[in-house]
Amino acid sequence: MNADILLQTLASGVLIGLIYALVAIGLTMIFGVMDIVNFAHGEFLMLGMYSAFWLFALYSLDPMLTLPLTVLMLFAFGVILYKAVISRITNAPMLSQIFTTFGIMYLLRGVAQFLWKPDYRTIPNSSVSGSVNFLGLQLGEPQLVAGLGAVLVTGVIWYFLNHTRLGAALEATASDKDAARLMGIDSHKMFALAWGIAAGCAGAAGGLLATFFPIFPDVGATFILLAFVVVNLGGFGSVTGAFIAGILVGVIEVMGGLLVGPQYKMAVVLLLFLGVLMFRPQGLLGKA
Amino acid sequence: MKWYLPARAAALASGLAFCAAATHAQQEVRIGVIYPLTGPSASVGGELRNALELAADIINNGAPGVADLPLSQGKGLPNLKGAKIKLVFADHQANPQVGATEAERLITQEKVVAIVGAYNSAVTATASQVAERAGIPFLNPESSSATLTQRNFKWFFRTTPHDDLFVHNAFDFLAELQAKKGIKPGNIATLNENGLWGTETGKLQAKLAPDFKYTIVKQVSYASKTTQLTSEVQSLKAASPNLVLQSSYTPDAILSMKTYKELGFSPDMILANNAGFTDTEFIKTLGKDAEFIITREVWALDLARSKPLIKQVNDLFQAKYKINFTGNSSRTFTGLMVMADAINRAGSTDPEAIRKALAATDIPGKALIMPWDGVKFDNAGQNTLGRGILVQVVDGKYNTVWPFNMASREVVWPMPKWDQRK
């Protein structure tokens, strides 16, 4: 085992970790703002991938070019879904909320399978393909671009939350929605915004992933388990936590695979997750 | 007494009609076909339905110019006074539970004399169990799970080779490659998805390798629903094998090839076990990066070069449905032909007579559109003369390279290293 292989693996882990982070940020935001676990989050990612795919297949538009459009569409989808369904269950018991988002997950998966068949689709020859040499490391160009995109989107969200009035309102709703309402903040608008941003993040992740990962109706399931681990590890509701935890999970996954054995890589991730639950149940950056 | 006459006439007429219906019924042999026509496997199911309809059409109405194919003269089943085949379709939705219920319905309500099906191995398992209990012959043309013929069933027959045989084929190929072309495969590593299929395949590879005097230096397994394969490929790279035997589904097959290239992993050859490597997306996505890999297949159109029958029947299929046969539809087509041949030889629609005729089946390879040596069942109901073929991707197409006597191209071995490719 030489240093080259270690560094190369580390770099691959960081790149995939950034995508995990982007997926998880949307999940953590919905939970943080309105205490709902969104099981359909992986399906938002799937819709983002299909959006990139169809814009490519029908109009030959590159996924990089259509990324803003994909994000916008998913944002709108998130808001509509909130208005049509979620707004009716904000005060429902937790079980009903779980079953609702679970149902939406199956519905979206079924609709995707009905409309687009269970086939695997891919986007060949996008503007980002091949790999680049960086300080002796071989990095896949799509992964690199996806990683940078994830950093950019996270940065924008972080800025929005910490340096804008609307972001502050969202944060206020997250910490105490009743107090926020007394201060004149419309919590329903804030909830809708959270769903929009969350779906938009998943859409961005989907669009970025579409350049190198196959697209199929169940693709959300592949990422959602890791996203839940990331959200728990980073602390429920913490965007910065999700960002750090995402990278951490990506790195632990590949390094665990390399050092312990590929068949154990998920076991290593979940072991660490259990450890965090035992000693720091609120997650790395969560509020106790 | 005048009312009596018309009544007699009516009785006579209805009696005649009954006789006509009876003779008509005798001219029809009802075969149940049970396939996934809706649900996740529906797109395959549609293709299989076309193949079945073509086979029935050839038997019932004839097909000029395909003399090698049995029962192609258009006279129905000669030994049953020219009886026509009537397919009774059932949809199992890729669901084992539904498969069993539908088999039950076919037997009790539709009164079929035999069943052909069911593509998905899990459904074949449940549907054939119903047929076994009812004493109705069940012929399975395309499910490859090895355990299906290990159940001591009396009424179950399978024409396709199963997974064990396919793995065996890979080693046969390596041995012949060494004996006939002097190419030594060297050290072997395996990369398998960790589901039932990949795990069983990996175990069998580990068991067979020493028998053929090859060394497996590393076995790597991974979850097919993985987001990245970096550490898997790094472990392979560290073991530096000459040959990788790989069993992957579509997303992971594509992901693995991309990761090989990214990390500069260049073995002499990747010998894949079908699945993801023969999905249409595989070559479409990877383009030039898919070149030179060899994969197991069950059928290829270029086999027609050494067996004209394949092209003749494929032309009929193409004319009717505007698509070519695939490994799946060609096997289903063959399955129904074998069943029809057995019913004809039985000369009766009695299930026991059909079962006996199936057990005595002996169809030569030249009467099949498959690259097999023929159809002959062992005691477990498994066709012993079936085999797989190996195809290599060259110029963006799958070309048959093994068995050597059916090859349309010489094997390219080793594959060029990633950095030496154009």
Side-chain angles (χ1 to χ4, degrees), chain B residues 359-402:
Chain B
T361 299
D362 187 2
I363 301 177
K366 71 174 174 53
L368 301 171
I369 61 167
M370 304 305 298
W372 302 343
D373 298 328
V375 178
K376 210 172 197 175
F377 297 106
D378 63 13
N379 287 336
Q382 173 63 42
N383 176 18
T384 53
L385 302 179
R387 59 156 37 162
I389 61 170
L390 294 176
V391 291
Q392 184 165 36
V393 181
V394 181
D395 297 332
K397 280 202 299 279
Y398 293 107
N399 305 275
T400 306
V401 291
W402 184 85

Side-chain angles (χ1 to χ4, degrees), chain B residues 159-274:
Chain B
T159 43
T160 184
H162 53 72
D163 287 336
D164 283 10
L165 199 121
F166 287 135
V167 175
H168 219 281
N169 277 172
F171 283 100
D172 288 339
F173 162 68
L174 293 178
E176 279 182 46
L177 195 69
Q178 194 161 358
K180 291 192 182 152
K181 308 204 186 244
I183 299 170
K184 282 188 188 157
N187 287 336
I188 301 176
T190 65
L191 178 68
N192 301 311
E193 64 87 29
N194 67 3
L196 182 68
W197 169 65
T199 310
E200 294 283 305
T201 307
K203 270 189 208 152
L204 199 67
Q205 285 162 341
K207 196 180 113 211
L208 281 177
D211 296 354
F212 282 83
K213 306 213 166 19
Y214 297 124
T215 319
I216 290 197
V217 289
K218 182 93 190 164
Q219 288 207 292
V220 177
S221 66
Y222 65 91
S224 64
K225 276 193 179 165
T226 186
T227 54
Q228 42 82 19
L229 288 166
T230 311
S231 36
E232 285 79 356
V233 176
Q234 293 287 22
S235 320
L236 282 180
K237 214 174 148 186
S240 66
N242 304 86
L243 170 70
V244 176
L245 301 177
Q246 188 170 345
S247 306
S248 303
Y249 293 115
T250 308
D252 32 325
I254 293 172
L255 205 57
S256 69
M257 293 303 289
K258 289 189 169 175
T259 314
Y260 289 158
K261 188 179 176 188
E262 198 182 309
L263 301 179
F265 174 58
S266 277
D268 288 349
M269 187 52 70
I270 293 159
L271 184 49
N273 190 13
N274 200 286

Side-chain angles (χ1 to χ4, degrees), chain B residues 138-166 331 358-359 361 372 374-387:
Chain B
F138 190 105
L139 187 136
N140 164 240
E142 65 291 273
S143 305
S144 71
S145 167
T147 51
L148 285 171
T149 38
Q150 292 162 5
R151 300 178 296 173
N152 289 323
F153 276 16
K154 192 179 155 206
W155 298 84
F156 183 77
F157 297 87
R158 167 159 63 182
T159 43
T160 184
H162 53 72
D163 287 336
D164 283 10
L165 199 121
F166 287 135
R331 279 188 292 176
L358 270 172
T361 299
W372 302 343
V375 178
K376 210 172 197 175
F377 297 106
D378 63 13
N379 287 336
Q382 173 63 42
N383 176 18
T384 53
L385 302 179
R387 59 156 37 162

Side-chain angles (χ1 to χ4, degrees), chain B residues 78-96:
Chain B
N79 295 353
L80 279 102
K81 303 196 187 88
K84 306 280 188 204
I85 286 196
K86 162 91 177 145
L87 297 180
V88 184
F89 279 92
D91 173 22
H92 66 54
Q93 304 160 15
N95 178 341

Side-chain angles (χ1 to χ4, degrees), chain A residues 28-254:
Chain A
T28 207
M29 181 169 279
I30 289 179
F31 186 85
V33 173
M34 57 187 303
D35 285 342
I36 283 186
V37 181
N38 177 24
F39 282 97
H41 196 67
E43 278 49 51
F44 291 174
L45 173 97
M46 177 265 291
L47 290 177
M49 292 181 89
Y50 271 107
S51 152
F53 172 78
W54 284 114
L55 288 167
F56 168 81
L58 298 176
Y59 308 108
S60 320
L61 294 171
D62 195 85
M64 285 299 117
L65 211 65
T66 57
L67 195 61
L69 195 59
T70 298
V71 173
L72 267 180
M73 280 201 280
L74 263 292
F75 182 92
F77 181 76
V79 172
I80 293 169
L81 192 70
Y82 171 78
K83 295 260 183 206
V85 185
I86 308 296
S87 60
R88 289 160 214 277
I89 55 154
T90 41
N91 294 317
M94 195 172 101
L95 262 184
S96 318
Q97 296 178 338
I98 287 179
F99 284 133
T100 306
T101 60
F102 218 75
I104 295 172
M105 170 188 94
Y106 272 112
L107 179 72
L108 292 179
R109 237 183 243 186
V111 167
Q113 188 156 316
F114 175 74
L115 291 177
W116 307 312
K117 296 200 284 182
D119 299 350
Y120 297 98
R121 314 285 182 80
T122 47
I123 297 176
N125 315 318
S126 81
S127 62
V128 284
S129 56
S131 52
V132 287
N133 241 317
F134 177 73
L135 301 175
L137 298 174
Q138 186 95 350
L139 300 176
E141 215 177 288
Q143 284 90 336
L144 198 61
V145 171
L148 292 176
V151 172
L152 187 74
V153 175
T154 315
V156 168
I157 289 175
W158 183 83
Y159 182 86
F160 167 75
L161 287 178
N162 293 299
H163 295 276
T164 63
R165 279 179 66 87
L166 200 57
L170 199 62
E171 289 267 40
T173 310
S175 41
D176 189 338
K177 68 177 173 186
D178 294 322
R181 195 179 296 133
L182 290 176
M183 296 296 129
I185 297 170
D186 182 345
S187 56
H188 276 293
K189 273 199 183 129
M190 288 303 119
F191 291 163
L193 183 66
W195 277 81
I197 294 176
C201 280
L208 290 165
L209 270 171
T211 55
F212 66 96
F213 205 80
I215 302 150
F216 50 101
D218 284 357
V219 68
T222 314
F223 287 87
I224 198 65
L225 175 66
L226 284 159
F228 277 122
V229 173
V230 169
V231 168
N232 276 294
L233 196 60
F236 278 105
S238 165
V239 169
T240 326
F243 185 70
I244 295 168
I247 299 174
L248 212 55
V249 167
V251 169
I252 291 164
E253 192 191 2
V254 289

